[in-house]
Amino acid sequence: MRKVGVVGAGMTLFRRRLQETPKELCYEAAKMALDQAGLTLADVDMVVSGSAPDAFEGIHMKGEYFLDGCGGYRKPYTRVFTGGGTGVFSTIAGWWHVASGLADVVLVVNEEKMSSCQPHPQSVFAHIWDPILDRPLQPNLVWIFAMEMNRYMTVYGIRKEDIARVAVKNKRNAVGHPCAQLPDPHITIEDVLNSEVMAWPVQRLDISPPSDGAAAVVIASEDAIRKRKIRDRAWISGVGWSIDSTMWTDRDLVFPEYVARAAKMAYKVAKISDPRREIDFAEPYDPFDYKELHHLEGLLLADKGQAPVLTREGVTERDGDLPVCPSGGLMGVGNPIAATLGIKVGELFWQLTGQAGERQIPHDVRTGVAQAWGDLMQYGCVVVMRA
Amino acid sequence: MTERVERWPGVELSASDLVEGKVTSTRFRPNAKYAWSAGEAMSRFLAELQEGRLVARTCDGCERILFPPRMFCELCFRPTDAWTYVRDTGTIETFSISYLDKDARRIAEPILVGVVSLDGASPRMGLMHYFGGMTKDEIRIGMRVKAVWRPPEERRGSVLDISYFRPLREAER
Amino acid sequence: MRVGIIGVGMTAFRPTTPESSWKELMFEAASRAYADAGVDPREDVGSFITCAEDYYEGFGIFDEFVPDQLGAVLRPTCTVSGDGLQGLATAFMQIQTGLLDVAVVEAHSKASDVVTLEGVLEHGLDPVWTKPLGPHAFVVAGLEADAYVRAAKVPRKALDAVIEKNRGNAILNPIAAYGARLDAGHLKAATPRFEPLRSLDVSAPADGCVVLVVASATAARRLKARPVWVRGIGWASDSPTLETRDWVGATYARLAADRAYRMARIRRPGQEVDLAEVDDRFSYKELQHLEAIRLAKPGEAGPHVARGDFALDGRLPVNASGGSLGCGNVFEATGLHRAAEVALQLRGEAGRRQVDGAKIGVAQSWRFVPTATGAVAVLGVGA
């Protein structure tokens, strides 16, 4: 299989509301990624974009609309969209553009402008439900996370404190991230446990915020990297993706089987047989604090029900044996859905090339895994990267 | 982060910036309405709900009883075989106590909602619905429940033909 | 490595399909495609690709609603927000990586479920520059048609010839929704819609689903399938902004074709290509696209079609399927349908619309108003 690496990354601030238009957000992130890689748009063969519901920006086929901001003008351009999974999935799409041999340099640009949706981006989530089975009950998006969290907590006897600990870790980690929306150096477990109950067991500080933002990565073949003498690169060693049944009410939500399938696929490509030993750090998707734990188990980095132990024992702190969400995650940096590319794959790139500044993991890391989740508790995709 | 980056792009706005017109903006209300054909499986499902019944489909390939019903088995990838009824009693698989309504507005009296797996279907074949006749301190995963149906004349062929699921009484076990 | 289409499955295209949900339509097309390819999706398929847009479907994240009816539960699946040929390009690339060797591509239209189709199309217009003017989305097509017919000097009768040909071909196509024998009277009676476009210049919407099974040469041998090779494939986007795009030349199609022909080693498409399926959702697009993808010299597509050169028995049959004018506008499934038609033609399975001895065919797609995006695939059989 053709060797392919990430050679640059860029992102905008993540904020509840940004002034920039979707095209401008794309441009800023794309330009930064190209500058970081020492490349220009002329070096780019093909462009991939990733963005989640069009309803946020209020433009049908929004991928067509902002393709010029992504550098797609008169180039082969494709948008992929796998719900929340898009944050990592577009990197996989960029990977196959290069690994197929059809391109040597690909720009991947992810964007989300949730704030355009009035009165609140929440409203879009009314439209993700089955119109006959679910919508008549007027569900709120938080319900489905609450149901999954409850199942996970009840089956394994997990206490709320251990889940809240993830929120604290990530919001504190986010202090080191220049783009972070909700960094908090002082947040405590009590703060999380005392925050208002939204839909039990979910409380306000368990949830990542809606955000505007964009992120981009530049992906190149080994040949292109060598020819252009690009020094900062991290190899994409493994990719995997999977989707579970639409009928989420027929599934036991206690374990994200779709994440495990994606992980197994990626680990096989990366020739990883013992993930706990071979993976040095992880950026799982954490739209809610409990999801980090849920996904660590899906990534086979912890036994079922045991991920909270890792957090409790400090294993997943930035200076622990298995740093998890050293970026600060969605909980701390923000959740502009597809633009989380910057704090998942982007973070892997920056950590593996020693460019993570204040957030740099203090010991040597050579292999990282990024994961995103999406749809109706359905979608998992995984990328393994190596220095 | 990378020392080479001097400026992280993005100009933050507040809600009032938009409301007070401090930034130029355009507004548009999309005209996007849909009426989805329910199809064979869901049409029958809804018609049976109106009759006070819950209908499922069988798959002879994996020998499962599929609820909600579908015309194809997603595991075997073959058409399903026959209609069969399941009971309107079941078990709470998971639940939430929600202080938010559908527009994320706070409500004082919480909504109890969750997934019920139905007796007579294959394990864990579930339906999302409301729970009632119990307090937020009583609701439990594993609780045995029964559907409370609307009176026949009020049913319209909807999952709301069931008002909610209440605890199963001793006499009903 | 070589990659080919080994399975084709389509539902009939119909103005409405009230008895089926979109899921049931997809199950039907997928079942046909898998039977044709001789594959079990639960065992033999490495990737499932659907081509869809939320607003065409009416959901916030349409990706959620695809796996079960394709046999894709707990399998690698993704949604490309693109048309069916972009989905085919995705399958092509995925297989070329060596990661997997069989992929499924699906696209459908359930336009009859969209109550406000014009509202959805309008929603694709630029929110700052175009929406405030309040135009019908097809004004964009009218403007482009005006620019093209002036520049290429296309007479009305050439557009009528496209309509007559494609509606007529569709009568021979069992899946087509709008086959009809039109005569001069019908064409003359067409009412103006978006000048120069008249009512009959615009394809009517239809429901339908198309599924293709794509495989590497090795997998095709293992499955004992007869592949129709994807010899070349390309795609491109011109400016999304109306104010800065090429209004005359369908640049996106030219760029896509250049890539596809280069990959397929085709130097003189006009001579080497046996048949073409190009986007004709507005009659003028057939002519504009043919010129852009070099199957006619600039300004000559009009005279060719008027002379009958693109008829079923002509020098270069174009839209033997009946095109979108004849089959119906199936939105994102359009390009995939065209690839399916070329594949059937190259297999000799095109029934009464068979183009004899076809060995190389071109399928071309466009992502419809208001985009300037499209793809081209060159398919071939034989060595």
Side-chain angles (χ1 to χ4, degrees), chain A residues 8-14 18 20-37 39 41 47-48 50 66 68-71 107-112 179 212-218 336 338-343 346 350, chain B residues 5 7-10:
Chain A
M11 59 190 279
T12 66
L13 300 181
F14 288 359
L18 288 173
E20 285 77 3
T21 64
K23 294 183 197 240
E24 289 165 351
L25 289 173
C26 289
Y27 169 76
E28 294 284 5
K31 186 77 170 66
M32 186 190 292
L34 285 172
D35 287 347
Q36 293 293 300
L39 299 172
L41 193 58
V47 178
V48 172
F66 60 56
D68 49 0
C70 294
L107 180 57
V108 177
V109 187
N110 282 20
E111 175 274 1
E112 216 75 62
C179 304
D212 290 353
V217 292
V218 182
T340 56
L341 167 70
I343 50 179
W350 281 310
Chain B
V5 179
R7 178 189 77 92
W8 294 92

Side-chain angles (χ1 to χ4, degrees), chain A residues 96 113 159 227 259 386:
Chain A
W96 74 58
K113 193 169 163 77
R159 298 170 313 159
K227 273 202 198 93
V259 172
R386 286 196 170 104

Side-chain angles (χ1 to χ4, degrees), chain C residues 128-277:
Chain C
V128 174
W129 299 108
T130 319
K131 271 175 176 152
L133 299 172
H136 188 292
F138 289 177
V139 164
V140 178
L143 286 171
E144 189 185 56
D146 182 75
Y148 171 70
V149 305
R150 280 175 205 265
K153 298 190 178 42
V154 178
R156 179 70 236 173
K157 73 172 202 276
L159 299 180
D160 286 344
V162 171
I163 298 167
E164 198 183 338
K165 166 174 74 72
N166 292 358
R167 299 290 299 268
N169 286 350
I171 293 182
L172 305 174
N173 190 342
I175 67 149
Y178 301 112
R181 273 261 174 275
L182 299 181
D183 61 30
H186 294 121
L187 293 159
K188 199 158 170 256
T191 52
R193 295 288 311 282
F194 308 92
E195 293 275 23
L197 299 175
R198 300 180 182 169
S199 47
L200 292 176
D201 291 300
V202 181
S203 300
D207 294 350
C209 182
V210 180
V211 174
L212 296 186
V213 184
V214 185
S216 67
T218 311
R221 258 195 309 278
R222 182 177 76 236
L223 293 164
K224 299 189 180 24
R226 294 171 313 141
V228 171
W229 302 114
V230 179
R231 296 218 193 278
I233 193 155
W235 62 103
S237 294
D238 196 358
S239 171
T241 308
L242 300 182
E243 293 78 0
T244 57
R245 64 165 63 161
D246 174 5
W247 282 96
V248 173
T251 302
Y252 56 89
R254 178 174 56 77
L255 294 172
D258 285 349
R259 285 174 183 266
Y261 291 148
R262 190 162 45 238
M263 204 186 284
R265 299 207 221 291
I266 288 190
R267 296 238 182 78
R268 289 157 313 192
Q271 291 165 287
E272 298 177 57
V273 172
D274 299 319
L275 77 143
E277 288 282 326

Side-chain angles (χ1 to χ4, degrees), chain B residues 102-117:
Chain B
K102 69 170 167 59
D103 292 317
R105 280 185 301 246
R106 281 209 80 75
I107 47 181
E109 271 311 301
I111 297 169
L112 303 181
V113 67
V115 178
V116 194
S117 58

Side-chain angles (χ1 to χ4, degrees), chain A residues 182-242:
Chain A
L182 294 181
D184 189 344
H186 307 298
I187 188 170
T188 64
I189 291 176
E190 280 66 44
D191 291 332
V192 180
L193 296 178
N194 289 336
S195 63
E196 61 183 331
V197 176
M198 315 286 275
W200 187 91
V202 171
Q203 296 172 263
R204 193 169 53 79
L205 290 177
D206 290 319
I207 313 178
S208 65
S211 316
D212 290 353
V217 292
V218 182
I219 295 180
S221 66
E222 188 179 19
D223 281 341
I225 292 172
R226 202 178 29 243
K227 273 202 198 93
R228 290 170 169 77
K229 298 185 174 46
I230 297 175
R231 274 179 347 166
D232 291 322
R233 80 284 178 283
W235 303 109
I236 297 174
S237 309
V239 296
W241 65 102
S242 187

Side-chain angles (χ1 to χ4, degrees), chain B residues 31 33-35 37 40 75, chain C residues 24 42 55 110 113 115-116:
Chain B
N31 185 19
K33 293 186 172 41
Y34 306 84
S37 311
E40 200 178 342
L75 295 187
Chain C
E24 290 161 358
R42 308 299 291 144
Y55 272 105
K110 198 72 160 83
D113 279 357
V115 175
T116 56

